[in-house]
Amino acid sequence: MVRIHRAALIEDAVHEMVERRLRGRGWKPYITAYTGYGAPGWARVMARVLLSRPGRVRRKREKIRGWRSFTTTPVSNALVRIEVGGTVTEARTDRSGYLDVMVKGDLDPGWGSAKLSTEGTVPIDAPIRVIDPTVKFGVISDIDDTVMVTTLPRPLLAAWNTFVLDEHARAAVPGMAVLYERMVNAHPGTPVVYLSTGAWNVAPTLTRFLSRHLYPAGPILLTDWGPTPDRWFRSGQEHKRKSLRRLAAEFPDVKWLLIGDDGQHDQEIYSEFAREHPDNVAAVAIRRLSPTQAVLAGAIPGPSETAEVVPSGGKAWFSAPDGAGLWSLLRDTDLIS
Protein backbone atom coordinates (compact mmCIF):
# COMPACT_ATOMS: atom_id res chain seq x y z
CA MET A 1 0.00 0.00 0.00
CA VAL A 2 1.37 3.43 -1.00
CA ARG A 3 1.67 5.82 1.92
CA ILE A 4 0.44 9.33 1.08
CA HIS A 5 2.25 12.34 2.51
CA ARG A 6 0.29 14.15 5.22
CA ALA A 7 0.47 17.44 3.32
CA ALA A 8 -1.15 15.83 0.29
CA LEU A 9 -3.91 14.36 2.45
CA ILE A 10 -4.63 17.77 4.00
CA GLU A 11 -4.66 19.45 0.59
CA ASP A 12 -7.05 16.82 -0.79
CA ALA A 13 -9.38 17.23 2.18
CA VAL A 14 -9.45 21.02 1.76
CA HIS A 15 -10.12 20.73 -1.98
CA GLU A 16 -12.93 18.25 -1.39
CA MET A 17 -14.58 20.45 1.23
CA VAL A 18 -14.34 23.62 -0.89
CA GLU A 19 -15.53 21.85 -4.04
CA ARG A 20 -18.55 20.41 -2.20
CA ARG A 21 -19.57 23.81 -0.81
CA LEU A 22 -19.12 25.64 -4.11
CA ARG A 23 -21.08 23.03 -6.03
CA GLY A 24 -23.83 23.48 -3.45
CA ARG A 25 -23.90 27.15 -4.40
CA GLY A 26 -24.26 26.32 -8.06
CA TRP A 27 -20.65 26.62 -9.23
CA LYS A 28 -19.91 24.69 -12.43
CA PRO A 29 -16.78 23.10 -13.94
CA TYR A 30 -14.86 24.70 -16.77
CA ILE A 31 -11.69 23.66 -18.58
CA THR A 32 -8.45 25.61 -18.92
CA ALA A 33 -6.58 24.15 -21.90
CA TYR A 34 -2.80 24.23 -22.20
CA THR A 35 -0.78 23.91 -25.40
CA GLY A 36 0.15 20.30 -26.06
CA TYR A 37 2.31 18.57 -28.63
CA GLY A 38 2.50 15.36 -30.59
CA ALA A 39 3.17 13.73 -33.94
CA PRO A 40 0.96 12.13 -36.58
CA GLY A 41 -0.95 9.40 -34.74
CA TRP A 42 -0.70 10.71 -31.17
CA ALA A 43 -0.87 13.82 -29.01
CA ARG A 44 -0.04 14.84 -25.47
CA VAL A 45 -3.06 16.74 -24.18
CA MET A 46 -2.77 18.99 -21.12
CA ALA A 47 -5.52 20.89 -19.32
CA ARG A 48 -7.08 21.57 -15.93
CA VAL A 49 -10.66 21.39 -14.71
CA LEU A 50 -11.72 24.13 -12.26
CA LEU A 51 -14.92 25.53 -10.80
CA SER A 52 -16.47 28.83 -11.81
CA ARG A 53 -19.26 30.81 -10.18
CA PRO A 54 -22.67 30.57 -11.87
CA GLY A 55 -23.41 32.99 -14.67
CA ARG A 56 -19.79 33.91 -15.21
CA VAL A 57 -18.69 33.79 -18.83
CA ARG A 58 -15.00 33.04 -19.18
CA ARG A 59 -13.42 34.63 -22.21
CA LYS A 60 -10.90 32.59 -24.16
CA ARG A 61 -7.98 34.83 -23.21
CA GLU A 62 -9.26 36.14 -19.90
CA LYS A 63 -6.52 37.58 -17.74
CA ILE A 64 -6.24 36.32 -14.17
CA ARG A 65 -3.64 38.33 -12.34
CA GLY A 66 -1.17 37.42 -9.61
CA TRP A 67 -2.54 35.76 -6.50
CA ARG A 68 -5.94 35.20 -8.15
CA SER A 69 -4.36 32.52 -10.32
CA PHE A 70 -3.77 30.49 -7.15
CA THR A 71 -7.21 30.85 -5.59
CA THR A 72 -8.94 28.60 -8.13
CA THR A 73 -10.74 25.43 -7.02
CA PRO A 74 -9.73 22.26 -8.89
CA VAL A 75 -12.07 19.41 -9.75
CA SER A 76 -10.38 16.09 -9.05
CA ASN A 77 -11.31 12.87 -10.81
CA ALA A 78 -13.37 14.77 -13.40
CA LEU A 79 -14.16 12.77 -16.53
CA VAL A 80 -12.92 14.64 -19.62
CA ARG A 81 -13.84 13.76 -23.18
CA ILE A 82 -10.95 14.28 -25.60
CA GLU A 83 -11.36 14.26 -29.37
CA VAL A 84 -8.27 14.31 -31.58
CA GLY A 85 -8.58 13.82 -35.31
CA GLY A 86 -11.92 12.05 -34.98
CA THR A 87 -10.70 9.67 -32.25
CA VAL A 88 -12.41 10.03 -28.88
CA THR A 89 -10.70 9.20 -25.59
CA GLU A 90 -11.92 9.68 -22.04
CA ALA A 91 -9.62 10.35 -19.10
CA ARG A 92 -9.90 11.66 -15.55
CA THR A 93 -8.13 14.56 -13.89
CA ASP A 94 -5.68 13.96 -11.07
CA ARG A 95 -6.05 15.04 -7.45
CA SER A 96 -5.26 18.66 -8.37
CA GLY A 97 -7.59 18.81 -11.36
CA TYR A 98 -4.85 18.39 -13.96
CA LEU A 99 -5.16 16.36 -17.12
CA ASP A 100 -1.95 15.17 -18.80
CA VAL A 101 -2.52 12.23 -21.12
CA MET A 102 -1.24 10.68 -24.31
CA VAL A 103 -4.06 9.97 -26.76
CA LYS A 104 -4.33 8.50 -30.24
CA GLY A 105 -5.50 10.63 -33.14
CA ASP A 106 -4.36 11.71 -36.58
CA LEU A 107 -3.42 15.36 -37.02
CA ASP A 108 -1.45 16.91 -39.85
CA PRO A 109 2.00 18.34 -39.05
CA GLY A 110 1.90 21.94 -37.90
CA TRP A 111 -0.80 23.24 -35.58
CA GLY A 112 -3.88 21.23 -34.73
CA SER A 113 -6.24 21.02 -31.79
CA ALA A 114 -7.98 18.64 -29.43
CA LYS A 115 -11.58 19.21 -28.39
CA LEU A 116 -12.10 18.91 -24.63
CA SER A 117 -15.32 18.78 -22.66
CA THR A 118 -16.54 17.69 -19.25
CA GLU A 119 -19.86 17.63 -17.44
CA GLY A 120 -22.11 20.42 -18.69
CA THR A 121 -19.43 22.32 -20.60
CA VAL A 122 -19.20 23.40 -24.22
CA PRO A 123 -16.21 21.75 -25.96
CA ILE A 124 -13.11 23.93 -26.11
CA ASP A 125 -10.01 23.64 -28.29
CA ALA A 126 -6.61 22.79 -26.85
CA PRO A 127 -3.78 23.77 -29.24
CA ILE A 128 -1.50 20.90 -30.31
CA ARG A 129 1.91 21.40 -31.93
CA VAL A 130 2.20 18.42 -34.27
CA ILE A 131 5.85 17.73 -35.12
CA ASP A 132 6.55 16.42 -38.61
CA PRO A 133 8.43 13.07 -38.54
CA THR A 134 10.93 14.54 -41.01
CA VAL A 135 11.94 17.30 -38.58
CA LYS A 136 15.37 16.65 -37.07
CA PHE A 137 16.00 19.86 -35.14
CA GLY A 138 14.18 21.54 -32.28
CA VAL A 139 14.63 24.17 -29.54
CA ILE A 140 14.07 23.67 -25.82
CA SER A 141 14.19 26.90 -23.84
CA ASP A 142 14.11 27.89 -20.21
CA ILE A 143 11.94 30.93 -19.39
CA ASP A 144 13.06 32.91 -16.32
CA ASP A 145 16.28 34.84 -16.99
CA THR A 146 16.45 33.26 -20.46
CA VAL A 147 13.55 34.78 -22.40
CA MET A 148 12.47 37.31 -19.79
CA VAL A 149 14.39 39.27 -17.18
CA THR A 150 13.64 38.57 -13.54
CA THR A 151 16.44 40.38 -11.60
CA LEU A 152 15.14 38.99 -8.33
CA PRO A 153 16.62 36.55 -5.81
CA ARG A 154 15.39 33.08 -6.69
CA PRO A 155 13.85 32.40 -3.25
CA LEU A 156 11.61 35.42 -3.81
CA LEU A 157 11.13 34.93 -7.54
CA ALA A 158 8.15 32.63 -7.40
CA ALA A 159 6.17 34.70 -4.92
CA TRP A 160 6.89 38.03 -6.60
CA ASN A 161 6.30 36.97 -10.18
CA THR A 162 3.16 34.95 -9.55
CA PHE A 163 1.45 36.82 -6.72
CA VAL A 164 2.35 40.44 -7.53
CA LEU A 165 3.39 41.04 -11.14
CA ASP A 166 1.49 40.44 -14.33
CA GLU A 167 3.13 39.97 -17.70
CA HIS A 168 3.04 43.70 -18.52
CA ALA A 169 5.59 44.37 -15.78
CA ARG A 170 8.07 41.87 -17.22
CA ALA A 171 10.85 42.70 -19.69
CA ALA A 172 12.09 40.38 -22.44
CA VAL A 173 15.77 39.52 -22.66
CA PRO A 174 17.18 41.63 -25.53
CA GLY A 175 17.58 39.77 -28.81
CA MET A 176 16.25 36.40 -27.69
CA ALA A 177 12.96 36.55 -29.64
CA VAL A 178 14.89 37.45 -32.79
CA LEU A 179 17.32 34.58 -32.15
CA TYR A 180 14.46 32.09 -31.84
CA GLU A 181 12.78 33.42 -34.96
CA ARG A 182 16.01 33.03 -36.92
CA MET A 183 16.48 29.47 -35.69
CA VAL A 184 12.93 28.60 -36.73
CA ASN A 185 13.39 30.23 -40.14
CA ALA A 186 16.65 28.34 -40.67
CA HIS A 187 14.89 25.04 -39.98
CA PRO A 188 11.28 25.08 -41.26
CA GLY A 189 8.98 23.15 -38.97
CA THR A 190 11.25 23.55 -35.95
CA PRO A 191 9.34 22.98 -32.69
CA VAL A 192 10.04 25.33 -29.80
CA VAL A 193 9.29 23.92 -26.34
CA TYR A 194 9.45 26.14 -23.25
CA LEU A 195 10.49 24.31 -20.08
CA SER A 196 10.17 26.02 -16.71
CA THR A 197 9.89 25.21 -13.02
CA GLY A 198 6.94 27.61 -12.74
CA ALA A 199 3.44 26.58 -11.74
CA TRP A 200 0.72 25.67 -14.25
CA ASN A 201 -1.37 28.46 -12.72
CA VAL A 202 0.70 31.05 -14.59
CA ALA A 203 0.61 29.30 -18.00
CA PRO A 204 -1.91 31.79 -19.50
CA THR A 205 0.23 34.71 -18.31
CA LEU A 206 3.40 33.23 -19.77
CA THR A 207 1.65 32.45 -23.05
CA ARG A 208 0.54 36.07 -23.39
CA PHE A 209 4.01 37.33 -22.50
CA LEU A 210 5.68 35.17 -25.16
CA SER A 211 3.13 36.17 -27.78
CA ARG A 212 3.37 39.88 -27.04
CA HIS A 213 7.17 39.79 -27.30
CA LEU A 214 7.03 37.82 -30.58
CA TYR A 215 8.54 34.57 -29.37
CA PRO A 216 7.58 31.53 -31.48
CA ALA A 217 4.48 29.77 -30.16
CA GLY A 218 5.02 26.39 -28.56
CA PRO A 219 4.13 24.14 -25.64
CA ILE A 220 5.01 25.40 -22.16
CA LEU A 221 5.89 22.58 -19.77
CA LEU A 222 5.30 23.68 -16.18
CA THR A 223 4.66 21.85 -12.92
CA ASP A 224 2.25 21.76 -9.97
CA TRP A 225 3.68 23.47 -6.91
CA GLY A 226 1.48 21.62 -4.43
CA PRO A 227 2.34 18.64 -2.22
CA THR A 228 3.00 15.29 -3.85
CA PRO A 229 2.09 11.87 -2.46
CA ASP A 230 5.60 11.56 -0.98
CA ARG A 231 6.91 15.10 -0.28
CA TRP A 232 5.90 18.66 0.60
CA PHE A 233 6.76 20.18 -2.79
CA ARG A 234 7.77 18.97 -6.23
CA SER A 235 11.39 19.31 -7.31
CA GLY A 236 11.76 21.86 -10.10
CA GLN A 237 15.09 20.42 -11.17
CA GLU A 238 13.67 16.90 -11.38
CA HIS A 239 10.73 18.25 -13.39
CA LYS A 240 13.18 19.58 -15.97
CA ARG A 241 15.20 16.37 -16.04
CA LYS A 242 12.13 14.18 -16.54
CA SER A 243 10.74 16.48 -19.22
CA LEU A 244 13.99 16.39 -21.18
CA ARG A 245 14.17 12.60 -20.99
CA ARG A 246 10.56 12.31 -22.06
CA LEU A 247 11.09 14.52 -25.11
CA ALA A 248 14.13 12.45 -26.06
CA ALA A 249 12.07 9.26 -25.87
CA GLU A 250 9.11 10.72 -27.77
CA PHE A 251 11.23 12.27 -30.53
CA PRO A 252 14.35 10.06 -30.79
CA ASP A 253 15.39 11.52 -34.17
CA VAL A 254 15.28 15.18 -33.06
CA LYS A 255 18.44 16.97 -31.98
CA TRP A 256 17.62 19.79 -29.59
CA LEU A 257 19.30 23.12 -29.11
CA LEU A 258 19.10 23.61 -25.34
CA ILE A 259 18.85 27.26 -24.31
CA GLY A 260 19.11 28.42 -20.70
CA ASP A 261 20.98 30.77 -18.40
CA ASP A 262 23.84 30.54 -15.92
CA GLY A 263 21.82 31.80 -12.95
CA GLN A 264 21.00 28.47 -11.35
CA HIS A 265 20.85 24.87 -12.57
CA ASP A 266 20.37 24.97 -16.34
CA GLN A 267 24.03 24.27 -17.09
CA GLU A 268 24.11 21.28 -14.73
CA ILE A 269 20.84 19.83 -16.04
CA TYR A 270 21.74 20.35 -19.70
CA SER A 271 25.20 18.84 -19.17
CA GLU A 272 23.68 15.71 -17.60
CA PHE A 273 21.18 15.38 -20.43
CA ALA A 274 23.89 15.80 -23.08
CA ARG A 275 25.92 13.00 -21.49
CA GLU A 276 22.91 10.69 -21.18
CA HIS A 277 21.44 11.48 -24.62
CA PRO A 278 24.24 12.74 -26.90
CA ASP A 279 22.26 11.86 -30.03
CA ASN A 280 19.44 14.18 -28.93
CA VAL A 281 21.52 17.30 -28.33
CA ALA A 282 22.67 19.58 -31.14
CA ALA A 283 24.31 22.18 -28.87
CA VAL A 284 23.78 24.21 -25.70
CA ALA A 285 23.33 27.99 -25.65
CA ILE A 286 23.66 29.74 -22.29
CA ARG A 287 22.62 33.32 -21.67
CA ARG A 288 25.08 34.82 -19.20
CA LEU A 289 23.55 37.06 -16.57
CA SER A 290 24.99 40.47 -15.82
CA PRO A 291 27.00 40.66 -12.56
CA THR A 292 24.01 42.25 -10.79
CA GLN A 293 21.56 39.68 -12.12
CA ALA A 294 23.93 36.85 -11.21
CA VAL A 295 24.24 38.04 -7.59
CA LEU A 296 20.46 38.37 -7.27
CA ALA A 297 19.99 34.91 -8.76
CA GLY A 298 22.39 33.40 -6.25
CA ALA A 299 25.11 32.64 -8.81
CA ILE A 300 28.76 33.63 -9.05
CA PRO A 301 29.21 36.57 -11.42
CA GLY A 302 31.40 35.96 -14.45
CA PRO A 303 32.43 37.90 -17.55
CA SER A 304 29.28 38.98 -19.34
CA GLU A 305 30.30 41.34 -22.12
CA THR A 306 31.74 38.85 -24.61
CA ALA A 307 30.48 35.85 -26.52
CA GLU A 308 32.39 32.59 -26.47
CA VAL A 309 32.26 28.95 -27.50
CA VAL A 310 33.18 26.42 -24.83
CA PRO A 311 33.60 22.76 -25.89
CA SER A 312 32.11 20.50 -23.24
CA GLY A 313 31.13 16.84 -23.19
CA GLY A 314 31.54 16.53 -26.94
CA LYS A 315 28.97 19.29 -27.53
CA ALA A 316 29.52 22.96 -28.32
CA TRP A 317 28.41 25.31 -25.58
CA PHE A 318 27.68 28.84 -26.77
CA SER A 319 27.70 31.57 -24.15
CA ALA A 320 26.75 35.24 -24.47
CA PRO A 321 24.87 37.93 -22.49
CA ASP A 322 21.95 38.26 -24.92
CA GLY A 323 20.33 36.95 -28.08
CA ALA A 324 22.48 39.04 -30.41
CA GLY A 325 25.64 37.61 -28.87
CA LEU A 326 24.37 34.05 -29.15
CA TRP A 327 23.34 34.60 -32.77
CA SER A 328 26.84 35.92 -33.60
CA LEU A 329 28.19 32.54 -32.49
CA LEU A 330 25.47 30.33 -33.96
CA ARG A 331 25.02 31.90 -37.38
CA ASP A 332 28.19 30.40 -38.90
CA THR A 333 27.75 26.91 -37.47
CA ASP A 334 26.20 23.78 -38.91
CA LEU A 335 23.09 24.59 -36.85
CA ILE A 336 22.31 27.36 -39.35
CA SER A 337 24.08 26.45 -42.56
Side-chain angles (χ1 to χ4, degrees):
M1 182 178 178
V2 179
R3 186 175 181 180
I4 306 299
H5 196 283
R6 182 178 300 175
L9 293 174
I10 294 174
E11 182 185 51
D12 290 347
V14 171
H15 284 167
E16 182 180 355
M17 178 187 66
V18 173
E19 179 184 349
R20 185 170 60 250
R21 290 186 176 182
L22 293 181
R23 282 184 179 273
R25 296 177 181 177
W27 286 48
K28 301 294 183 182
Y30 71 94
I31 299 175
T32 294
Y34 306 127
T35 301
Y37 63 83
W42 66 271
R44 181 182 180 185
V45 178
M46 296 174 285
R48 196 181 191 193
V49 179
L50 302 165
L51 287 180
S52 177
R53 65 173 58 94
R56 182 176 184 182
V57 178
R58 304 191 67 88
R59 298 184 298 274
K60 183 178 180 181
R61 295 184 66 84
E62 179 180 1
K63 176 179 173 182
I64 302 176
R65 179 179 177 176
W67 59 270
R68 294 184 182 276
S69 298
F70 289 82
T71 58
T72 52
T73 300
V75 181
S76 63
N77 202 40
L79 184 64
V80 179
R81 185 180 186 272
I82 308 163
E83 182 178 350
V84 177
T87 301
V88 176
T89 304
E90 290 186 339
R92 292 190 178 275
T93 58
D94 67 10
R95 46 182 293 272
S96 296
Y98 292 103
L99 180 76
D100 185 353
V101 294
M102 298 275 289
V103 299
K104 295 181 179 180
D106 287 324
L107 293 173
D108 294 331
W111 283 97
S113 64
K115 286 194 175 297
L116 310 180
S117 61
T118 189
E119 53 173 315
T121 66
V122 175
I124 68 167
D125 290 331
I128 304 293
R129 179 66 166 89
V130 185
I131 300 176
D132 194 310
T134 63
V135 168
K136 307 300 179 184
F137 177 81
V139 174
I140 297 176
S141 172
D142 178 43
I143 295 180
D144 285 313
D145 285 327
T146 300
V147 303
M148 63 182 175
V149 179
T150 59
T151 62
L152 285 172
R154 289 302 174 96
L156 300 178
L157 176 62
W160 180 261
N161 289 342
T162 58
F163 292 106
V164 181
L165 290 184
D166 63 48
E167 69 269 25
H168 293 284
R170 306 295 295 276
V173 174
M176 294 301 283
V178 175
L179 170 65
Y180 289 22
E181 180 185 10
R182 287 172 171 170
M183 299 304 298
V184 169
N185 290 338
H187 299 270
T190 293
V192 179
V193 179
Y194 300 94
L195 177 58
S196 172
T197 59
W200 278 113
N201 304 64
V202 299
T205 295
L206 293 177
T207 299
R208 289 190 295 269
F209 174 90
L210 295 171
S211 175
R212 191 173 65 256
H213 290 280
L214 305 181
Y215 283 96
I220 303 177
L221 304 182
L222 303 171
T223 187
D224 179 14
W225 279 0
T228 70
D230 61 352
R231 58 192 300 169
W232 277 97
F233 295 103
R234 284 170 173 78
S235 167
Q237 294 180 49
E238 192 58 28
H239 160 67
K240 283 193 170 184
R241 291 187 175 97
K242 288 182 177 179
S243 296
L244 289 170
R245 294 179 190 130
R246 176 168 182 168
L247 289 169
E250 292 169 337
F251 304 102
D253 297 327
V254 175
K255 288 182 177 290
W256 299 94
L257 171 63
L258 309 177
I259 304 179
D261 64 84
D262 64 357
Q264 286 284 304
H265 303 287
D266 287 346
Q267 296 178 100
E268 173 189 344
I269 293 171
Y270 288 169
S271 180
E272 290 177 4
F273 181 70
R275 289 195 302 269
E276 294 175 0
H277 301 274
D279 294 336
N280 296 110
V281 178
V284 179
I286 297 296
R287 184 240 167 181
R288 288 201 306 272
L289 305 185
S290 69
T292 300
Q293 292 170 345
V295 170
L296 290 174
I300 299 175
S304 62
E305 297 302 323
T306 60
E308 60 180 346
V309 181
V310 182
S312 176
K315 301 295 177 182
W317 285 60
F318 303 90
S319 179
D322 53 31
L326 289 172
W327 173 249
S328 71
L329 299 174
L330 291 166
R331 64 187 174 190
D332 296 325
T333 68
D334 292 340
L335 295 176
I336 303 300
S337 60

